[in-house]
Amino acid sequence: MEVRRRAPLPPPPGRVQAGDALPLPIRHTNLIFSALFAASLAYLMRRWREKIRSSTPLHVVGLAEMLAIFGLVASLIYLLSFFGIAFVQSIVSSSDDEEEDFLVGPARGSSAAAAVAPPPPPSSPAQLLAAGSPPTCLDDQARGLPAAAAGIRREAVRRITGRQIEGLPLDGFDYASILGQCCELPVGYVQLPVGIAGPLLLDGQRFYVPMATTEGCLVASTNRGCKAIAESGGAVSVVLRDGMTRAPVARLPTARRAAELKAFLEDSVNFNTLSMVFNRSSRFARLQGVQCAMAGRNLYMRFSCCTGDAMGMNMVSKGVQNVLDYLQDDFPDMDVISISGNFCSDKKPAAVNWIEGRGKSVVCEAVIKEDVVKKVLKTNVQSLVELNVIKNLAGSAVAGALGGFNAHASNIVTAIFIATGQDPAQNVESSHCITMLEAVNDGRDLHISVTMPSIEVGTVGGGTQLASQAACLDLLGVKGANRESPGSNARLLATVVAGGVLAGELSLLSALAAGQLVKSHMKYNRSSKDMSKVIS
């Protein structure tokens, strides 16, 4: 059986060599400096021999000798550098290859002999691709070509798995913008449609709310709620609290000792000192308070601080670390188990967030007129109030819900989070919401409110700096940091999220009360390959 061998790949054109910075080819440069070294040395030796014979001092030199000495030193430096760089570069390359092999692992399908004594792994992208190993995320920064590395990594994944990923886009994305902060080992990006709901008339301003989602009817339903709110005079919001939390856990020798540390942290006399230590981490971080809880000899310390326009997890973590280092002097027996002890609580449903709040605590309300309820929402006030009590309040209580006394707040929160570059995983606590409906003005109009104690958003950092997400923030007028009033952009974004939830709750409850939910989903949430039917 004839075995066909793959032709070796040519060396990549972008590989950097030691002599690339020289104006001449390396062989010509070597020849010039070698000749200069030999000529300078021969001339100086001949001159020094003549001086010795004539008893002339060696330190008395003329212009020609000075030039010869300069040429000798320059050529010697070049030759030593040339061979030294080659030697050092070979050592560095071998160490880098060993690190790459450790991070990436052996190629799939390698033989047993190769596993016993593997050859030195290649260092160029093309060679890594040929070897069946995708470049690591460190390659992106080392080569300065993140887009090219993403393409090579993508092809390597295709060869290793044998599966096509043609539907995953590769081109048209700025991979340099995610290095070191958003995503590692990229092989493409996922496209999500972004719809606009609005105008949302909130606190006297009109907002067009971007929503990234793949769920049919969601944007349309939220848009209907925005219409009902606008035709009734708009909604009003208020931010009750603004503080991100982080709760380290420390173990003390005894429960009594843990109680002493708890008393120290919660004593108002010590707060100013703790604030000074905490606030050193950032010019925006400001410690608000410390709440402690004990479990045996383990102490959970929940620090809360304002974080400007950033969502603030990294900021508050650095401040907490400063305080822990400070406490270590007075409590040397304190053993810090983790910078996060889940009393924060981040990305998990927790009663502490529902009661105490985390991020921005927002209430948003509106009074919907009777004629708008009938004309736009296709239902009546009494049906909506009854449905909210039985479904959102009693039904959620029967289910043992924690912060889930609403119809679908998570739908709107997640869609806005993705569109504006927030952390989608934080929709868990950010979607905590209780929706309240009651008849007002002698039962004619509807008062609706949503109370959301832990909306965690920011307008700087993380995914907010990506082009698409920054554009959505700019659409809302909250892009970046507010220099005049730090934190106001993030708070405004939180109120927009709450206003969007208010609109979504109003529309969905109306659809349920009118029995239109299934009909609307069958109309708008069912794909059809027959475009003529869609057009008709």
Side-chain angles (χ1 to χ4, degrees):
M1 179 179 178
E2 182 182 0
V3 179
R4 298 181 63 185
R5 295 185 178 180
R6 183 182 299 171
L9 291 172
R15 186 168 178 80
V16 178
Q17 299 293 337
D20 289 351
L22 298 174
L24 296 176
I26 191 70
R27 62 180 183 276
H28 295 161
T29 309
N30 289 345
L31 182 60
I32 291 174
F33 278 96
S34 298
L36 179 62
F37 176 82
S40 301
L41 183 61
Y43 175 78
L44 290 174
M45 292 296 292
R46 183 171 60 83
R47 289 292 300 156
W48 290 342
R49 183 175 56 186
E50 293 175 358
K51 288 184 177 183
I52 292 174
R53 288 178 178 177
S54 61
S55 300
T56 304
L58 294 178
H59 64 274
V60 178
V61 295
L63 179 60
E65 290 176 283
M66 292 179 62
L67 293 176
I69 293 173
F70 177 81
L72 178 67
V73 174
S75 59
L76 182 61
I77 291 174
Y78 170 82
L79 293 175
L80 289 177
S81 301
F82 174 78
F83 292 106
I85 288 176
F87 177 74
V88 172
Q89 190 171 7
S90 64
I91 296 177
V92 173
S93 299
S94 63
S95 63
D96 286 344
D97 290 343
E98 291 174 359
E99 182 181 13
E100 264 185 345
D101 187 60
F102 173 77
L103 290 172
V104 177
R108 180 180 175 181
S110 58
S111 62
V116 174
S123 58
S124 71
Q127 290 172 329
L128 284 168
L129 176 59
S133 299
T136 68
C137 59
L138 300 178
D139 276 347
D140 295 348
Q141 294 172 328
R143 292 181 176 83
L145 298 171
I152 294 168
R153 186 182 298 110
R154 177 192 181 101
E155 176 62 17
V157 171
R158 186 192 67 80
R159 294 187 184 185
I160 293 171
T161 63
R163 297 185 180 275
Q164 301 288 341
I165 49 176
E166 295 178 353
L168 185 68
L170 175 65
D171 299 325
F173 186 81
D174 182 12
Y175 292 95
S177 65
I178 66 174
L179 282 178
Q181 58 183 346
C182 288
C183 180
E184 298 77 36
L185 302 175
V187 295
Y189 60 97
V190 174
Q191 294 172 310
L192 278 176
V194 177
I196 297 294
L200 171 65
L201 184 56
L202 177 65
D203 297 325
Q205 300 183 62
R206 294 180 181 273
F207 297 95
Y208 290 87
V209 184
M211 303 174 64
T213 181
T214 57
E215 180 179 350
C217 293
L218 179 60
V219 179
S221 178
T222 307
N223 189 66
R224 183 175 74 149
C226 291
K227 180 180 180 181
I229 293 172
E231 292 189 6
S232 299
V236 178
S237 67
V238 58
V239 178
L240 303 177
R241 286 186 296 264
D242 181 6
M244 182 50 62
T245 63
R246 173 60 83 197
V249 55
R251 182 171 56 203
L252 282 298
T254 63
R256 180 182 295 274
R257 187 64 171 156
E260 292 176 1
L261 177 55
K262 179 178 184 294
F264 179 87
L265 290 170
E266 294 181 342
D267 191 343
S268 59
V269 176
N270 301 320
F271 180 78
N272 289 336
T273 302
L274 295 175
S275 296
M276 291 177 60
V277 175
F278 185 97
N279 297 345
R280 288 202 304 255
S281 62
S282 170
R283 58 195 178 100
F284 296 109
R286 293 295 179 269
L287 182 64
Q288 297 172 333
V290 185
Q291 178 185 4
C292 298
M294 287 179 56
R297 61 191 183 114
N298 299 313
L299 181 65
Y300 299 83
M301 302 161 275
R302 192 173 191 259
F303 292 80
S304 176
C305 84
C306 58
T307 57
D309 285 304
M311 185 269 290
M313 286 296 299
N314 293 333
M315 192 183 302
V316 67
S317 296
K318 290 189 292 184
V320 167
Q321 187 62 56
N322 289 343
V323 174
L324 293 176
D325 294 340
Y326 169 77
L327 292 175
Q328 205 77 55
D329 294 334
D330 293 329
F331 295 87
D333 51 353
M334 177 183 69
D335 181 17
V336 178
I337 303 300
S338 173
I339 191 68
S340 175
N342 276 13
F343 187 41
C344 310
S345 174
D346 186 43
K347 302 173 184 176
K348 292 167 283 290
V352 67
N353 293 336
W354 177 244
I355 298 171
E356 299 293 337
R358 188 171 195 254
K360 279 70 174 169
S361 300
V362 183
V363 178
C364 188
E365 63 178 348
V367 175
I368 310 301
K369 297 177 181 179
E370 181 182 23
D371 60 333
V372 175
V373 172
K374 294 180 179 179
K375 181 180 65 174
V376 178
L377 302 177
K378 312 298 183 184
T379 184
N380 58 77
V381 173
Q382 187 59 38
S383 297
L384 285 172
V385 173
E386 182 182 35
L387 173 64
N388 185 68
V389 172
I390 297 176
K391 170 184 166 61
N392 286 346
L393 304 183
S396 297
V398 170
L402 178 60
F405 299 91
N406 57 80
H408 70 149
S410 180
N411 253 337
I412 291 86
V413 170
T414 306
I416 299 177
F417 270 30
I418 296 175
T420 58
Q422 312 304 313
D423 189 342
Q426 289 185 323
N427 81 88
V428 175
E429 60 269 41
S430 297
S431 298
H432 282 183
C433 171
I434 181 169
T435 301
M436 301 292 294
L437 275 71
E438 58 180 307
V440 294
N441 299 331
D442 297 328
R444 295 190 305 272
D445 301 331
L446 175 73
H447 181 275
I448 179 173
S449 67
V450 292
T451 304
M452 306 180 70
S454 51
I455 301 178
E456 299 168 351
V457 293
T459 58
V460 296
T464 64
Q465 50 83 37
L466 299 179
S468 301
Q469 288 79 351
C472 291
L473 289 171
D474 191 41
L475 176 65
L476 294 172
V478 296
K479 177 183 176 182
N482 191 309
R483 299 182 182 275
E484 297 179 356
S485 178
S488 59
N489 280 358
R491 287 190 290 270
L492 181 56
L493 178 58
T495 62
V496 171
V497 172
V501 170
L502 184 75
E505 291 287 281
L506 181 61
S507 183
L508 177 57
L509 289 173
S510 299
L512 291 170
Q516 298 296 316
L517 180 66
V518 175
K519 182 178 179 180
S520 62
H521 274 271
M522 292 300 293
K523 180 178 180 181
Y524 295 107
N525 202 21
R526 303 289 292 180
S527 63
S528 174
K529 298 297 182 180
D530 189 348
M531 296 306 297
S532 63
K533 294 181 179 180
V534 175
I535 295 174
S536 63

